[in-house]
Amino acid sequence: LLVYVFYFFYKKNLPRRVRLPILFISSLLILLSFSKVAVGVFILVNLLSLISRRSDDSCHICFLSRCVGFLTVGYLFFAFKTDPLTISNRLTLVKRAVQIVIAHPITGVGAGAYVIAQSAFSFSVWYLFNQPVHNIFLLVLAEHGLLVPLALLFLFRHQAIRFLKKYPYIALVIGITGLFDHYFLTLQQNLLLIGVVLGGL
């Protein structure tokens, strides 16, 4: 998804023979992941792109057909049945994270120590093994408390504002997917990918 947004919005000057295969492969991988969050954000950024370019498109029927096409794809993927307990399990993890944040609001439990802190809680569902909360913002607050995030926001506020204004779609992808999973903080692949993408902007 990050690669798709990177090449779709910020690498428009690349030759079509290079750009289009990358967009096709990344789109296919997003759909094959069957991640409802990834597919939902994929559809959202494409709809936002269509709406932002509507004034340049004189064909209203073309615009409507593209919107309907993306919404239909989204409906088909969201209609697939998944684990019926996935929402309640994620809410349980959120509840535990909030309890940890309340218990350690200033300094947190320490970098990388979230799972250790969460192991003190019991889970009613046997297969809900000890794992990070599926929300990068809660995870940061639980591990680092309020001091570190606030200090970073203060020190890099100008850079953050420039980034949000210049690359809103990259921020949108990281922000929305970060609300529903933790891989942007916990997977080395995602951390490296963010560095590669931001370095190429």
Side-chain angles (χ1 to χ4, degrees):
L1 181 59
L2 202 59
V3 170
Y4 175 85
V5 171
F6 176 63
Y7 280 95
F8 185 76
F9 291 102
Y10 305 111
K11 289 295 179 180
K12 294 181 179 180
N13 294 328
L14 283 177
R16 289 173 62 87
R17 65 179 182 275
V18 175
R19 185 168 173 263
L20 291 182
I22 294 174
L23 292 176
F24 174 76
I25 293 171
S26 57
S27 300
L28 188 62
L29 290 174
I30 291 168
L31 298 177
L32 289 177
S33 72
F34 290 98
S35 167
K36 291 185 177 181
V37 174
V39 173
V41 176
F42 172 70
I43 294 168
L44 176 63
V45 295
N46 278 283
L47 289 176
L48 289 175
S49 173
L50 285 174
I51 293 170
S52 66
R53 290 186 288 116
R54 185 179 179 182
S55 59
D56 301 329
D57 192 354
S58 58
C59 179
H60 299 296
I61 296 176
C62 300
F63 170 77
L64 288 174
S65 64
R66 289 175 187 143
C67 290
V68 170
F70 278 114
L71 291 174
T72 303
V73 171
Y75 172 77
L76 292 174
F77 275 84
F78 278 89
F80 282 112
K81 299 294 183 182
T82 56
D83 181 4
L85 296 176
T86 184
I87 295 177
S88 62
N89 291 344
R90 286 171 181 254
L91 289 175
T92 299
L93 291 172
V94 167
K95 181 180 177 181
R96 298 291 183 257
V98 170
Q99 290 174 305
I100 293 173
V101 171
I102 292 174
H104 308 275
I106 305 301
T107 59
V109 296
Y114 176 84
V115 174
I116 298 172
Q118 187 179 244
S119 63
F121 297 96
S122 60
F123 292 94
S124 58
V125 183
W126 67 270
Y127 58 82
L128 187 60
F129 55 89
N130 200 18
Q131 57 180 300
V133 60
H134 289 60
N135 185 302
I136 59 174
F137 307 102
L138 281 175
L139 185 57
V140 168
L141 285 175
E143 289 193 343
H144 303 284
L146 288 170
L147 285 180
V148 171
L150 289 177
L152 290 175
L153 284 174
F154 177 76
L155 291 173
F156 299 103
R157 61 190 183 280
H158 299 300
Q159 293 87 339
I161 292 171
R162 277 203 306 270
F163 175 77
L164 290 173
K165 288 181 178 179
K166 194 171 183 179
Y167 307 113
Y169 292 104
I170 295 287
L172 184 71
V173 168
I174 296 174
I176 294 181
T177 55
L179 285 172
F180 299 97
D181 222 315
H182 54 77
Y183 44 73
F184 275 117
L185 290 179
T186 57
L187 288 184
Q188 291 179 341
Q189 297 95 319
N190 281 76
L191 292 172
L192 291 171
L193 182 60
I194 290 176
V196 171
V197 169
L198 296 184
L201 290 173

